Amino acid sequence: MLKPPVLTATEVTDQALIAEHDPVTCDLSVVVPIHNEQENVEPLYAELNEVLSGMGISYEMVFVDDGSTDGSLERLRAASRDDPHATIIELRRNFGQTAAMAAGFDHAGGRIIVPMDGDMQNDPRDIARLLAKMNEGRGHDVVSGWRKDRQDTFVSRKLPSMIANWLIGYVTGVRLHDYGCTLKAYRREIIRDVNLYSELHRFLPALAAWNGARVAEIPVNHRPRTRGLTKYGIGRTFKVLLDLLTVKFLGSYMNKPLYFFGKLAFYALVVAAVVFGVAIGQKYGWFGQEALHLNRNILVMLSVLMAILSAQCLVVGVMAELLVRIYHESQGRPTYRIRNVYRVKTAVSEK
């Protein structure tokens, strides 16, 4: 005789699905890129260790030396000697903040990963607030810091940042006050498949939101720089704007590039038709001028060039579609992201 099934609701989180291949070693990983911060590394390590040790959770500190030439690495190694919570990664040369952060992410074993700057302008005490925000309501996958009272110069730092933040929010649809704040908290499963390059680390909240992550923002303390020199100026703003084009393409057309190139092809074809129509009108004097033969009209050549451009866009779009399919199918990467899997276990026994 068959007994009625016993129904037990179970939940398999996205993190549990990858635990076998992406082992978790602690609750929290703090990733700190370092580049020529010899005056800051020792007090930073001491303050960060003091704050984290009082939070009552397992943690690790992952410092990434991004090709420092001023003794930062030596001072950091001396300060953290015999500390099992500290990991120091030395890069062969200066690869940039994004690459250093990617190296830290790859070596981090925490369920939550928090990057922060190495210039001591981020306050380690805000980490607890970021984690608390993650557990509010239904929970958040990304909590971004907002330097509401930013301690930087207005013209060279704050004004370009305000413009860039507005533009990034407008283009991506993910409105944040401060994309440039390094101090953020990410759930491990959100960033495990993100490949960082160029300056894309600042766009992580937008990339995560496009994959279905819940994103929140809280004001954080921003302290004035008291030691060392800043590594970033107004020139970085232009790099961010160029990367924004990449992010927009990845977010809107990564899985359907033909739509993007198809739009370009359509617009080019419309321009070709309009220009050729103007050339026809000039031939018959429709615009009140002397008739101009088509073989003398440069607009005819422009129309032909736009028509060729339209065809080229379509060809590139088809090739991009093939590359996208090869990318996903060769790596077995799905075109979707799962937050949770809910199953009903059925226990069946025979008497």
Side-chain angles (χ1 to χ4, degrees):
M1 178 179 179
L2 294 177
K3 291 184 178 181
V6 178
L7 302 181
T8 305
T10 62
E11 175 182 339
V12 181
T13 65
D14 197 18
Q15 184 170 340
L17 293 174
I18 60 152
E20 182 179 352
H21 303 289
D22 190 19
V24 174
T25 59
C26 58
D27 296 322
L28 173 66
S29 294
V30 179
V31 176
V32 187
I34 300 290
H35 179 62
N36 291 342
E37 295 286 358
Q38 65 175 355
E39 298 177 7
N40 288 312
V41 290
E42 292 171 327
L44 172 63
Y45 164 77
E47 183 181 18
L48 186 58
N49 194 37
E50 178 186 0
V51 170
L52 296 180
S53 62
M55 291 178 60
I57 59 176
S58 58
Y59 68 93
E60 68 174 354
M61 298 170 289
V62 182
F63 298 94
V64 184
D65 179 69
D66 187 23
S68 296
T69 57
D70 66 344
S72 296
L73 177 62
E74 290 74 16
R75 293 194 181 190
L76 183 58
R77 291 184 63 187
S80 61
R81 181 177 289 115
D82 300 326
D83 185 352
H85 297 101
T87 299
I88 301 176
I89 302 170
E90 180 186 4
L91 302 186
R92 291 183 177 273
R93 63 172 177 83
N94 177 234
F95 288 91
Q97 186 180 18
T98 300
M101 196 173 295
F105 288 169
D106 290 341
H107 289 79
R111 292 184 176 87
I112 305 296
I113 300 177
V114 175
M116 62 181 296
D117 285 329
D119 55 12
M120 293 199 69
Q121 290 192 265
N122 293 144
D123 191 344
R125 292 169 181 80
D126 285 322
I127 294 176
R129 299 177 56 242
L130 294 174
L131 301 186
K133 184 66 176 180
M134 273 192 154
N135 296 321
E136 283 188 3
R138 297 174 61 195
H140 299 95
D141 303 300
V142 179
V143 180
S144 179
W146 169 22
R147 298 166 294 182
K148 192 173 183 179
D149 186 19
R150 185 172 178 179
Q151 303 298 311
D152 285 321
T153 57
F154 181 79
V155 175
S156 63
R157 302 294 298 276
K158 296 171 71 173
L159 181 59
S161 179
M162 291 168 58
I163 297 173
N165 286 323
W166 176 85
L167 186 60
I168 293 171
Y170 176 78
V171 172
T172 64
V174 182
R175 305 282 183 173
L176 294 177
H177 292 90
D178 193 358
Y179 270 93
C181 181
T182 304
L183 187 61
K184 296 178 173 69
Y186 302 96
R187 295 194 187 277
R188 182 182 186 82
E189 59 270 25
I190 292 300
I191 60 174
R192 75 181 191 277
D193 288 333
V194 177
N195 295 319
L196 293 179
Y197 47 89
S198 190
E199 295 283 336
L200 291 188
H201 71 274
R202 68 188 65 257
F203 298 104
L204 270 175
L207 296 173
W210 287 340
N211 284 327
R214 300 189 185 106
V215 180
E217 184 180 41
I218 62 171
V220 295
N221 183 30
H222 189 244
R223 305 182 292 197
R225 177 184 271 273
T226 58
R227 307 179 187 89
L229 300 174
T230 181
K231 313 300 185 302
Y232 308 105
I234 193 171
R236 187 175 62 165
T237 303
F238 300 103
K239 297 179 182 178
V240 172
L241 296 179
L242 293 176
D243 286 330
L244 183 58
L245 298 177
T246 302
V247 170
K248 178 60 178 176
F249 182 83
L250 292 176
S252 300
Y253 302 104
M254 177 61 183
N255 294 321
K256 46 182 184 295
L258 186 58
Y259 289 7
F260 174 78
F261 291 104
K263 288 181 181 179
L264 294 182
F266 175 75
Y267 296 149
L269 193 61
V270 169
V271 171
V274 171
V275 170
F276 188 71
V278 172
I280 294 295
Q282 290 178 339
K283 176 183 179 181
Y284 293 103
W286 293 348
F287 304 112
Q289 85 293 332
E290 183 180 352
L292 180 63
H293 294 289
L294 293 179
N295 60 348
R296 294 182 178 179
N297 197 333
I298 193 174
L299 292 182
V300 176
M301 182 61 67
L302 177 60
S303 176
V304 172
L305 290 176
M306 294 304 296
I308 294 175
L309 176 62
S310 176
Q312 288 179 329
C313 285
L314 286 176
V315 172
V316 171
V318 172
M319 293 177 63
E321 285 283 336
L322 294 176
L323 291 175
V324 165
R325 279 155 177 73
I326 293 173
Y327 170 75
H328 284 289
E329 293 173 8
S330 64
Q331 301 185 51
R333 299 174 69 108
T335 57
Y336 56 85
R337 293 292 183 269
I338 297 174
R339 180 183 298 277
N340 296 304
V341 176
Y342 301 93
R343 293 192 180 99
V344 176
K345 287 186 176 180
T346 304
V348 181
S349 61
E350 186 174 341
K351 188 174 180 180

